[in-house]
Amino acid sequence: MMQFLHVQFQLSAVLLFFLWYSVLASRRKSSFIVCVGTPMIPDFYVLVFFYLFFLKVANLIIKFANVNTMLNKEIISSRLEVGISFTEFTYQILQSLDFLTLYRQHNVQLQVGGGDQWGNLTAGLDLIHKAEGQDAKVYALTIPLLLKADGTKFGKTAGGAVWLDPKKTSPYEFYQFWFNQDDKDVINLLKKFTFLSKEEIDSLAESVKTAPEKRLAQKTLAQEVTKFVHGEEALKKAEKITDVLFSGEIQELTTEEVGEAFHGVPSEEISSDPINLVDLLIAVNVDKSKRQAREDIQNGAIRINGERLTDTTTEINPKDSFDGKYIVIRRGKKKYFLAKIN
C-alpha cells in the first residue's frame, strides 16, 4: 500500500509540474513539449508496466520487427562476437516505438542522435514506414561523436566527463579537466570548443610538437573554455587554486577555495577537539598504523595546511584551520587528504 501511495505521489508531482509548465507555456505562447520516456514505477509495478506495455505493442513488434534486419544493423552486428545484452539488442525496438508514438501524437518528423545511433534511428524510420505507409515524411539526422585519439567516446557514458553546472563540477575541476587533456587530443578540442583563430591554433599545435612539457595548448584550452562557461572571475579562481596546489602554499586559499579544490580527494569527518598529529593521520586514513604515521612524520612526508611537521607529539587544533571547517593533509608530493570538521 505504501509503495502504491509512493508511486501516486511521484506521478502526482510530475503531473503538477507539467500542469504548471503548460500554464506558463500558454502565457508565453510556447509550443515546446517535454516527453518523459522512463516510467517512474518501482519494484513489483515494473512487471505490471511491462505486461501492459507488451500487450499494447506486441502486435506492432510481431508484424514489423524483423530479426534479420536487427542483426544486420552495424550497432548490433559489431557487438555479436564480443557479446551483447538482451537490453542492448532490443533497445532499437523501444527507440523505434518512441519515434512512432511521437510521430502519431505530435507529428514529430525528425529524430536526431549521435553517430553511433544511426542503426536505432533508421529502425524508427523503417517501423513508421511499415506502420503508416511509405509516404510518411520522417527523417533521421546523426551528429558525429566527439572522439579521443584512441577512438573512445568523449562523454558521460564513457566516464570522466564534466558538467556545465558548477554545483556538479566546480570551475576548478572544470579547468583541470581541460588542462589534463592528452597532447593527441588538445588541438582537436581547441578547434571545436574555442573561438581562437586558425593562426592561433596552428601556433599552439607547433608548441605541442616543440615544447610539449610546457602544456601551453592545454592551458589555453582550459582558460578559453572555463572563461566561456563560468566567466572571468571563476577562471581566475581556478588558476589561483591550480598555482597554489603546484606551489604547496595551501594557506593562501580561502575556506571556500579549499572546499572547491579538494572536493574529490579522500576525506573523513573529525571533531573540533584538539588532536595529536599521529591520531589525525589515522582518523583521516592517511596511514593505516601509528607506526607508519610516525615514520611519515619523522621523514618529513607530512604537511598540514602546507606546513611540514616532523614532531610526532604535535597537537592540532581544528578550530584554527580554515574557519574551523577543514584541515588539508598532504603525504609526499601529490597525495592529498581532507579532514572535515563537524
Side-chain angles (χ1 to χ4, degrees), residues 243-255:
D243 293 339
V244 165
L245 293 184
F246 182 79
S247 67
E249 302 296 329
I250 305 298
Q251 62 275 13
E252 294 184 10
L253 295 176
T254 66
T255 301

Side-chain angles (χ1 to χ4, degrees), residues 130-274:
K130 289 175 181 177
E132 301 296 308
Q134 290 296 323
D135 59 342
K137 303 297 183 182
V138 286
Y139 310 91
L141 173 66
T142 59
I143 300 172
L145 294 175
L146 184 62
L147 302 176
K148 298 180 182 179
D150 60 5
T152 58
K153 287 198 293 186
F154 187 99
K156 66 182 180 65
T157 55
V162 291
W163 297 87
L164 299 180
D165 186 346
K167 294 180 181 178
K168 293 186 176 182
T169 301
S170 71
Y172 165 71
E173 293 172 308
F174 190 83
Y175 179 92
Q176 287 296 312
F177 174 81
W178 300 103
F179 185 78
N180 290 323
Q181 291 302 313
D182 192 277
D183 288 346
K184 297 176 181 178
D185 297 315
V186 64
I187 300 304
N188 181 45
L189 296 175
L190 281 165
K191 293 176 180 178
K192 289 184 167 69
F193 287 100
T194 74
F195 297 97
L196 298 178
S197 66
K198 180 180 183 301
E199 291 72 24
E200 290 172 308
I201 294 177
D202 288 344
S203 176
L204 291 168
E206 186 62 26
S207 74
V208 172
K209 296 178 182 177
T210 58
E213 71 282 358
K214 293 183 178 180
R215 300 186 68 78
L216 181 58
Q218 283 88 345
K219 184 175 182 179
T220 303
L221 174 65
Q223 289 174 333
E224 291 294 319
V225 183
T226 303
K227 181 170 63 176
F228 179 73
V229 173
H230 294 296
E232 187 71 39
E233 288 304 313
L235 171 60
K236 289 179 180 178
K237 182 186 290 187
E239 289 183 314
K240 175 188 174 182
I241 295 173
T242 300
D243 293 339
V244 165
L245 293 184
F246 182 79
S247 67
E249 302 296 329
I250 305 298
Q251 62 275 13
E252 294 184 10
L253 295 176
T254 66
T255 301
E256 180 184 351
E257 289 168 343
V258 168
E260 184 174 329
F262 299 101
H263 172 71
V265 306
S267 64
E268 294 290 339
E269 290 191 357
I270 64 170
S271 74
S272 58
D273 298 329

